[in-house]
Amino acid sequence: MKEWEKNFRRVVPYTPGEQPKNANVIKLNTNENPYPPSPKVMEALQAVSRDRLRLYPDPTASVLVNAIAARYEVEPECVFVGVGSDDVLAMAFMTFFQSAKPVFFPDITYSFYPVWADLFRVPYKKIPLAEDFSIRPQDYYPANGGVIFPNPNAPTSRYESLEVLEDILQHNQDVVVIIDEAYIDFAGPSALPLLKKYENLLIVQTFSKSRSMAGMRIGYAIGSPGLIKAMSDVKYSFNSYTMSQACLAMGTAAVEDEEYFQEMIRRIRRTRDMSGQRFKELGFSFPEPGANFIFVKHERSKARDLFALLRENNIFVRYFDQPRIDDYLRVTIGTDQQMDALFAFLKKHL
């Protein structure tokens, strides 16, 4: 090692899902929405003038913040936006997790959490999920430096009720609790109503899944004004202009087209329900899905072997070579045609 290399910060990075270069694949590995965003999104992009592009965007992202605030019936002071929910979550780690006590999150969860914790030198403890992949609230009662978990969880797709969430909040009123709701639109009620009771609650959502805008990188957080101001102060300490003119215009258009949004949710849920039945018929089992993917395990075939075989035939799903879940595949819900092709292949092979 060279002398100057000794000053590097070294972490084990997050590994994103594979993005195949070949366009002729059935891509069910990264939980993207199989349908395009609202037509109004492209109209908004076309309306962005060349003159606007030479100017810095509004650092407060007020047009998008106001649209999100109106959609969720909160004050604009309660909304923070960033470049995808990963940017928002990273900002939250830097802002709120400064205690010497460990931050708690599940042992099977979004694998970026330990990466951020290592990067920002945040102590953490992985809390084991129950055998059925559920969260046990009592495991989060001990003293900690903060709590974060997705709901629905990833990669299990399991959704926890508001009663479970409130139990955790009631026992953690001295730290910030972050609920990562990337997939909430495909599940049950959001934890948003709990914001009225808990000032230490931060809810993070994204445009990447239900709003079909993974390529634009838009995420947001909703919380008390105190939490949002603290995050904004951290943001402005190193990058004031995080959202481009195009993102602001397109994101606002997406939020305002409620009819299209609800139709896409219904379509994906319908395909998910039909896919669940077809998986069962082929000998798969899975936790009750609450996201736009299903976490499946086959009674005879090993997940690693199925993953490789599918990939060889240009069908991409996600495999996690990790303890407790190395028998499972995470399968994103695609179009009906994509799912038909997947099941035709599985039926032939199995």
Side-chain angles (χ1 to χ4, degrees):
M1 180 181 293
K2 298 179 179 64
E3 190 64 29
W4 44 267
E5 290 182 311
K6 295 178 181 179
N7 296 321
F8 288 7
R9 176 175 295 184
R10 302 182 186 278
V11 295
V12 178
Y14 169 74
T15 302
E18 184 177 0
Q19 296 291 343
K21 300 298 186 291
N22 181 7
N24 188 30
V25 301
I26 298 174
K27 191 171 183 296
L28 307 174
N29 66 325
T30 49
N31 300 340
E32 293 145 327
N33 195 311
Y35 303 106
S38 161
K40 295 180 180 179
V41 168
M42 296 311 297
E43 294 173 8
L45 176 61
Q46 293 167 358
V48 176
S49 69
R50 291 174 60 194
D51 190 60
R52 281 177 63 190
L53 294 181
R54 72 176 180 82
L55 302 173
Y56 282 116
D58 173 11
T60 68
S62 59
V63 64
L64 180 57
V65 165
N66 289 337
I68 293 171
R71 166 65 172 78
Y72 293 103
E73 300 181 343
V74 297
E75 295 300 318
E77 294 77 17
C78 297
V79 178
F80 177 96
V81 298
V83 186
S85 61
D86 286 342
D87 179 46
V88 175
L89 288 165
M91 210 71 65
F93 265 74
M94 284 192 287
T95 305
F96 303 123
F97 296 157
Q98 297 297 310
S99 171
K101 299 175 184 176
V103 170
F104 286 178
F105 49 78
D107 63 334
I108 302 171
T109 193
Y110 186 29
S111 52
F112 226 141
Y113 296 162
V115 175
W116 285 318
D118 288 338
L119 178 63
F120 302 132
R121 298 173 181 173
V122 174
Y124 65 92
K125 180 179 180 181
K126 295 182 179 181
I127 308 298
L129 294 175
E131 286 301 312
D132 63 355
F133 297 140
S134 64
I135 288 177
R136 293 173 294 214
Q138 63 271 23
D139 292 343
Y140 293 81
Y141 291 178
N144 61 73
V147 175
I148 181 170
F149 56 88
N151 192 43
N153 197 8
T156 68
S157 192
R158 184 181 173 106
Y159 169 78
E160 300 291 351
S161 69
L162 295 186
E163 288 75 20
V164 169
L165 306 186
E166 185 156 21
D167 191 344
I168 293 173
L169 282 160
Q170 287 176 344
H171 290 84
N172 288 279
Q173 297 189 46
D174 57 341
V175 296
V176 173
V177 176
I178 302 175
I179 301 179
D180 182 354
E181 291 191 336
Y183 303 98
I184 193 63
D185 296 315
F186 306 106
S190 165
L192 285 166
L194 297 178
L195 290 171
K196 297 177 181 178
K197 298 174 63 176
Y198 301 96
E199 290 184 298
N200 62 320
L201 170 62
L202 187 77
I203 295 172
V204 178
Q205 296 190 10
T206 178
F207 281 51
S208 296
K209 315 303 180 185
S210 55
R211 297 193 184 276
S212 307
M213 294 180 69
M216 289 307 299
R217 313 306 303 127
I218 303 174
Y220 56 100
I222 302 178
S224 64
L227 296 186
I228 299 306
K229 183 182 184 306
M231 289 182 69
S232 297
D233 289 346
V234 172
K235 168 190 170 182
Y236 293 138
S237 70
F238 67 93
N239 187 352
S240 299
Y241 301 104
T242 57
M243 306 293 292
S244 71
Q245 299 278 22
C247 279
L248 294 175
M250 297 169 74
T252 301
V255 172
E256 292 175 346
D257 194 348
E258 185 69 16
E259 182 179 353
Y260 184 90
F261 170 71
Q262 294 297 341
E263 174 55 30
M264 292 304 102
I265 296 299
R266 285 192 292 268
R267 186 178 298 183
I268 292 171
R269 281 185 163 187
R270 184 169 60 244
T271 303
R272 183 187 68 191
D273 293 343
M274 291 189 296
S275 297
Q277 182 58 40
R278 296 171 80 176
F279 272 124
K280 290 178 181 178
E281 292 170 357
L282 289 172
F284 289 90
S285 59
F286 48 87
E288 183 67 26
N292 66 334
F293 58 88
I294 304 180
F295 199 52
V296 298
K297 175 181 180 181
H298 195 262
E299 58 190 19
R300 296 184 309 275
S301 297
K302 291 185 177 298
R304 183 193 298 270
D305 297 337
L306 272 178
F307 167 77
L309 185 63
L310 287 164
R311 191 180 185 282
E312 289 171 6
N313 288 270
N314 287 329
I315 301 175
F316 284 63
V317 297
R318 191 78 189 266
Y319 172 68
F320 297 90
D321 189 8
Q322 298 175 13
R324 299 185 68 190
I325 60 173
D326 57 357
D327 285 336
Y328 288 84
L329 295 175
R330 192 191 69 187
V331 182
T332 303
I333 300 302
T335 63
D336 289 341
Q337 292 78 12
Q338 288 174 322
M339 303 309 290
D340 286 344
L342 168 68
F343 289 114
F345 179 86
L346 289 174
K347 186 175 182 180
K348 179 180 178 181
H349 170 70
L350 295 173

